[in-house]
Amino acid sequence: QAKNEGRNCFKYFSEALTLAARERIGIEFRLRRAMDNQEFRLFYQPQLKIGSGEIVGVEALIRWQTDSGELIPPLKFIPIAEETGLIAGLGRWVLQEACRQGKAWLDAGLPPLRIAVNLSPTQFMHGDICAIVASTLAETGFPANYLELELTESALMKREKEAIDILNRLHELGVHLAIDDFGTGYSSLAYLKAFPLDVLKIDKSFIDDIPMQNDDMEITATIIAMAKTLRMQVIAEGVETPAQMAFLRSRNCDFYQGYIASKPLPAAEFEIFLHQHKPEPNA
Ligand code: C2E
Ligand code: MG
Ligand code: MG
Ligand code: MG
């Protein structure tokens, strides 16, 4: 009886694994084809100054638009791109497209906005990211000081000494550096101090339950205070409600990003948003 159950269990898992593996290979194949067919798009989500409501920048977020028009979110394919090495090419495309768009906006006379681009851990540590960023800036003509690169704690904390070296070289190019999803990884405060980071992004998970969860409010306030001590600018991610805004303002958080202002938008729709946006004092 027990033996039979064990065998059924094995059969069940082996079928499940095969399915997962097949699904993965399927996505990998489709990803390669999607790169050839240029099925990727960048969406842009505004970042605003707390207190004035002024738009100071945008985060570029990748979407996969299949030929049927379906939009596939990044968490469904970025991890697979990471594991298969496809991220190198995809990441270069993201950087290139964000800088191209940024330059086009500057040339069209839009107010200068900083563009934040997410770098995956592999993209950061393998291949010469400094050379890639430098040549992308040169090719597109986008000014380095308007580009911000977002890195996660896990990307930085694996090989800290090497990370410091890469960050310093990126900083020398004039780009801004941000730590994304802060608080979800394990950062050593000693290293955080040693990294030349300009911006700290508080993870959405701490913002979600403000003002219901006292712990989250305490943690958020502490992260803001710590960022100020380290002379970093601080931005809250995933802000959705006026109550969250009020709390962040009371604790002197610098910037916010979230559905309360706008979801990520295609470039053309972001331009309309920018046009119609009226900064509100005390927003
Ligand atoms: P992230 O960098 O932390 O980006 C913020 C995510 O939160 C985005 O999800 C954004 O749409 C979402 N978000 C922003 N405000 C709100 C809000 O008020 N409510 C809710 N519910 N969500 C909000 P998205 O676009 O699905 O991206 C997910 C993650 O995928 C990103 O997290 C980032 O880690 C990764 N990613 C996106 N684009 C790229 C890329 O070009 N390269 C790499 N390597 N990773 C990317
Ligand atoms: Mg990000
Ligand atoms: Mg984030
Ligand atoms: Mg995130």
Side-chain angles (χ1 to χ4, degrees):
Q1 168 80 41
K3 211 173 181 181
N4 258 337
E5 266 174 25
R7 197 171 295 144
N8 284 339
C9 219
F10 175 74
K11 189 166 166 251
Y12 172 78
F13 280 121
S14 112
E15 273 172 5
L17 277 178
T18 310
L19 187 66
R22 254 192 278 136
E23 220 167 63
R24 183 147 287 232
I25 291 164
I27 295 182
E28 185 184 342
F29 173 77
R30 288 167 62 213
L31 264 179
R32 284 183 196 280
R33 202 181 44 193
M35 285 170 76
D36 292 340
N37 293 349
Q38 306 184 332
E39 291 179 354
F40 296 100
R41 308 270 176 271
L42 290 186
F43 277 39
Y44 298 90
Q45 187 179 35
Q47 302 180 327
L48 299 88
K49 192 167 164 57
I50 294 179
S52 73
E54 176 195 357
I55 299 174
V56 293
V58 290
E59 179 173 6
L61 294 155
I62 196 170
R63 303 287 180 263
W64 174 4
Q65 188 165 29
T66 64
D67 43 20
S68 64
E70 184 196 0
L71 274 187
I72 304 178
L75 293 178
K76 285 242 172 94
F77 63 89
I78 290 284
I80 297 169
E82 275 261 310
E83 284 168 33
T84 53
L86 289 172
I87 194 72
L90 198 56
R92 267 201 303 273
W93 177 82
V94 171
L95 205 53
Q96 176 82 28
E97 176 57 17
C99 291
R100 184 205 62 76
Q101 182 62 74
K103 179 67 161 78
W105 279 335
L106 282 177
D107 289 349
L110 267 66
L113 297 175
R114 188 162 295 154
I115 300 192
V117 171
N118 294 282
L119 291 191
S120 79
T122 323
Q123 213 186 342
F124 178 65
M125 280 297 191
H126 304 277
D128 192 349
I129 188 65
C130 299
I132 291 169
V133 170
S135 66
T136 306
L137 290 170
E139 282 165 25
T140 58
F142 189 57
N145 61 326
Y146 285 122
L147 180 64
E148 186 163 288
L149 300 175
E150 295 191 1
L151 297 143
T152 55
E153 287 167 278
S154 62
L156 299 178
M157 299 297 161
K158 249 178 240 154
R159 299 204 298 267
E160 304 92 342
K161 297 254 159 55
E162 212 179 321
I164 291 181
D165 184 54
I166 301 173
L167 290 177
N168 278 326
R169 284 192 289 139
L170 285 171
H171 222 215
E172 278 163 21
L173 294 175
V175 302
H176 282 233
L177 301 171
I179 188 160
D180 202 357
D181 304 339
F182 186 79
T184 59
Y186 55 102
S187 288
S188 140
L189 284 182
Y191 275 112
L192 201 59
K193 197 181 126 190
F195 292 142
L197 296 166
D198 306 286
V199 178
L200 187 156
K201 300 190 76 174
I202 306 173
D203 191 69
K204 176 181 181 302
S205 59
F206 299 111
I207 307 299
D208 280 343
D209 295 326
I210 294 175
M212 286 78 74
Q213 286 286 338
N214 255 312
D215 289 357
D216 288 340
M217 302 212 286
E218 293 286 342
I219 292 168
T220 299
T222 304
I223 294 176
I224 294 170
M226 187 196 69
K228 305 252 157 174
T229 304
L230 295 172
R231 283 179 293 279
M232 293 168 75
Q233 294 187 316
V234 56
I235 174 164
E237 290 192 307
V239 179
E240 296 182 349
T241 70
Q244 292 166 344
M245 285 294 304
F247 176 76
L248 292 166
R249 190 167 53 239
S250 76
R251 297 310 168 102
N252 294 315
C253 185
D254 300 307
F255 306 107
Y256 72 101
Q257 176 179 345
Y259 292 177
I260 192 169
S262 170
K263 291 194 172 183
L265 301 169
E269 282 174 46
F270 173 73
E271 288 164 26
I272 295 170
F273 175 84
L274 193 63
H275 236 81
Q276 293 174 343
H277 179 75
K278 289 180 189 64
E280 276 175 44
N282 296 319

